[in-house]
Every structure is written in structure tokens, then in C-alpha cells.
Amino acid sequence: MNMNRITRRQFIAAASAGSLAAVTSRAIPAYGNLSKEAGKLAILGGQPVRTKAFPGWPIWDENADEELVLSVLRSGVWSRAKVVAEFEKKYAELMGAKRCLATTNGTNALLTSLHVLGVGIGDEVLVPPYTFIATIDVIFLSGALPIMVDTDPETFQINPDKIEEKIGEHTKAILPVHILGLPANMDKINAIAKKHNLLVVEDACQAWMAEWRGKKCGTLGDLGCFSFQNSKNLPCGEGGAIVGDNDEIMDRCYSYHNFGRPYGETELTLSGYVRLGTKCRMAEYQAAILLAQMKRLEEQTKRRAENANYLTSRIKEVPGIIPHKLYEGVTRAAYHLYPFRYKKENFNGLSRRKFLAALKAEGIPCSGGYDPINKDPFFERTLRSRNFQKMYSKERLNRCREQNHCPDNDQLCKEAVWFFHSLLLGTKKDMDDIADAILKIYENRDKLT
Ligand SMILES: Cc1ncc(COP(=O)(O)O)c(C=O)c1O
């Protein structure tokens, strides 16, 4: 019987009666047809569900991609020039943005964005704790204070209904993160920003091609930032980009990322700096890799989403496995990671750590994801640092500490399970292997506890 067609109630009834194998003969074929040994958990010495490797990452074309990179190498022009400009044009078009500025990485894309929009000392920035460290770093590095907004555990995104209560007199911006490549609720975020006159800088560093109501993530706020680091769905080793529609702001980004030289200045001028600047220019060979990678992005994004939907359909009835939800406004998810929540109560109290170990033993690479970044020692150390003590009063620093309480996020960090995006580039059969491994652990949960 097709596991997709059995109801959750049937599944639970069959599972608790010990006859899961009978109703999931396709899901766990070994149980129905083979020896008992085949159903033994791999972590206990049985055969793993899967021994074949999943697709690796990054991938490239030995002819076309290598030729593009070699042509840059052979040109001797490795620093920012026409290949970067070509990438910027194409990426802006792909995103549906007026302009794109390529940078050395996503961290510097975010730093540049905050700087040119005037976020700095004295300001507060609203941000979710369920993110990569760089999102929080850039706020502190700008001299501003991050104010944590708890996570919506169903979507893994910033909880839009908890934003307003965190707004204070010094709030300057919201920094939503489309974490895992799943869009945050941009209708609510933008409405709040408009009402309170706040800037919106989107951290779309994991969300290439994700869409909210048909518009690409990264184009929905004042500026949007992307990462092209090696693990990312659009990779070039290290790289980043800012997209935006406002020419004046984008000119400022360009200038800031190029030592404060005026917009468009590509010559090595030694005077005429128009503002304080830094240097975070993308190199030509990085852009060449991106141009090659971009050719596959649409097809890969489609495949990831199809496989993600299929995987969800296979595991959503398993007690204790709570698939992620997408907001109603999401027209496309990018799936940098595929997440679900694991409830140990339904697995005889089997800890997430042991569940992950059992899943890995079955041949399924997986991770528990982020720890609560807001509780990391760096946070308090930064608030206690000499610079922050000089910049802020005790009251201001205490407000930052007091707001740093996100119980839903704490719980989510204990329950999350992630699959890396390259697993979703495989076949339907690959998804079946993942689902079968989860079901196998579920059925054998009492043997692990
Ligand atoms: C959510 C998020 N923001 C920012 C960054 C920083 O990007 P980069 O590593 O390119 O500096 C990353 C990178 O992993 C990220 O995942």
C-alpha cells in the first residue's frame, strides 16, 4: 500500500499494533518481503536503508564552467572588471531588481547595506535569532544593537506577530532573514516597517530564487543581500551581492565597497574619494564561476522544491515529525536546507541526538542545525566590550539583554532536523530512502531507548 494514502490515524494504529510493515510495504519494503535482519536499525548492526552517496556539492561542468574560469585566468585581469559587471547585470535581471552590486561575501553585502542606509551607533535593529552568526555580527559591527525577535517555530522564520512589541524609540531597521531559503512573512514585515518608519534590509543569503507573491526575496525591502559561499545553492567559493532599485543608494553601495571612490570609478585613482569606504570587491574569476552556476540555478531550484514537497508528503504522517510550513504568500521556496521538527515524545523519548545518529547510520546525512545564537558567549562579551560600554548607557545595554529572550527559538533549536540542499537534487527514490529511514527508526524506537 502506498504510504501516502494511509491516514495518520491508520499509521498510528498500525504502528502501535506493531504491524507498520504491513501498511508501509512500499515505504519499508524490507519489512514486508525480506528477513527480519533487514529491518534491524543500522546503528544496532543492521543493514542501512542506503549505502549510495547523495549528490555532492558544489557541482560544475568540466567543459563550459572550466572554460569560463580559464578565460579569466588567461586574461590576466583578475580584479573587478567586465566579468563582474556582466554577472551584476544578469543577477539583477534574474532577481527582477534594477541594480546589483557584487561583493566579496554576504557578510560584507550586509555590512555595506547597513552602512549606506545609515544604521550605526545608537540604533537598534530587529533580527531573528534563528540565523547564521553573520547576521548578528554585522549589526554589532555597525555599532548598533541587535534586538531579538522570537522565531515562528512552524516556519522557522522571524515571528512577524512578535516584531511590534520589540520596537523602541531607537529602532531603526528590521533585518529579516529568509532562513534555510524559506521566505519570511514580508507582507507583515513591510507593513510594520511602513507604520513605524523603519528600514528593511533582507538577509537573503540563503534564499536565491525564493519568492514572496511572485517577487524574489531580496527585492522586497530597501536592500537585499546574498551569499555565494561554497555551500550555497549559487556558489563561487566566497562571494556576495546587494540588490536594490534605488540608484542613489546603490551608487553609495558601490562607492563604499570601492574605498569611497565615486560610483562607477574603475581606474586606480589616488584622489577624489567622496566618502569613507572599505574594499569588498568581487574578483573576476568568482564572477565567472557564478555566471556558469547561474545557468543551472532555475532547474536545480525547481528540482529541490519538487523533491522537498514529495519528501514532506512521505513524512508528514509520521508521529513526532512536524514538517516546516510555508506562509500563504510564499510562491517559491529555495530550500538551502530542508527542515522539520522532531518531537522525541512520539519516539519513546529518544533524544534528537540519538535520532540524528540513527538516521546517519541509515545512510542519511542530517544535522540538528543552529544553536540559540543569542545565548552564545560572544553576545554578552560584545555588550561588555570597551567600545560598547563607551557607546551605550547601562540602560541601553540592559534593554538589549532583557529583549534577548526567545523561548520559542530555544525550543526550536532543540527540535530541528535539517537536510542539506544537495540531497534534494537527487531522485524521488532518494527521497523515499530518507522517508524510509525515518519510518524505520520510528518503528524501532523502543530498541533505542
Ligand atoms: C543567513 C546568512 N547570513 C549571512 C551569511 C554570510 O554570508 P557569507 O558567508 O558569504 O559572508 C550567511 C552565510 O552562511 C548566512 O547563511
Side-chain angles (χ1 to χ4, degrees), residues 303-313 335 338 424 431:
R303 193 150 21 120
R304 286 188 191 98
E306 277 168 12
N307 275 329
N309 290 341
Y310 178 65
L311 180 57
T312 300
S313 76
Y335 288 104
Y338 176 99
L424 301 175
M431 300 306 106

Side-chain angles (χ1 to χ4, degrees), residues 105-107 110 131-132 134-135 177 179 203 205-206 227 229 232 239:
N105 51 43
T107 306
L110 285 162
T131 188
F132 183 62
T135 319
V177 186
I179 203 68
D203 183 337
C205 284
Q206 298 186 1
S227 166
Q229 181 268 341
K232 300 302 196 293

Side-chain angles (χ1 to χ4, degrees), residues 46-111:
Q47 288 168 15
V49 167
R50 185 181 171 97
T51 47
K52 200 175 145 216
F54 282 93
W57 194 258
I59 53 178
W60 67 96
D61 185 310
E62 279 182 21
N63 298 315
D65 295 20
E66 290 182 6
E67 197 41 55
L68 267 171
V69 178
L70 278 174
S71 69
V72 167
L73 184 75
R74 289 172 184 146
S75 76
V77 181
W78 299 345
S79 192
R80 186 195 157 97
K82 64 180 194 319
V83 185
V84 173
E86 185 186 341
F87 166 72
E88 289 174 339
K89 188 166 173 292
K90 291 200 166 137
Y91 197 66
E93 274 166 21
L94 186 66
M95 291 295 107
K98 191 166 178 196
R99 298 264 296 267
C100 166
L101 176 76
T103 60
T104 43
N105 51 43
T107 306
N108 275 295
L110 285 162
L111 265 176

Side-chain angles (χ1 to χ4, degrees), residues 20 31 39-41 44 439-449:
L20 185 63
Y31 286 11
K40 190 172 172 187
L41 288 171
L44 298 177
L439 285 160
K440 186 178 171 190
I441 298 168
Y442 179 77
E443 190 176 8
N444 288 283
R445 63 198 181 281
D446 56 331
K447 304 199 179 69
L448 289 176
T449 49

Side-chain angles (χ1 to χ4, degrees), residues 329-394:
V330 176
T331 41
R332 192 174 213 190
Y335 288 104
H336 178 52
L337 292 142
Y338 176 99
F340 63 83
R341 278 180 290 156
Y342 168 78
K343 297 278 183 192
K344 66 176 180 190
E345 306 82 83
N346 297 88
F347 278 70
N348 259 8
L350 179 72
S351 71
R352 182 185 60 168
R353 189 176 56 76
K354 286 188 183 161
F355 172 78
L356 291 170
L359 202 49
K360 282 180 198 160
E362 296 298 339
I364 313 297
C366 53
S367 146
Y370 295 128
D371 286 325
I373 201 124
N374 51 325
K375 293 185 161 174
D376 232 84
F378 92 101
F379 198 96
E380 182 55 30
R381 277 189 201 141
T382 306
L383 295 182
R384 282 175 193 234
S385 69
R386 201 164 146 257
N387 279 349
F388 276 79
Q389 299 281 333
K390 275 197 289 188
M391 291 188 293
Y392 290 97
S393 66
K394 272 201 182 80

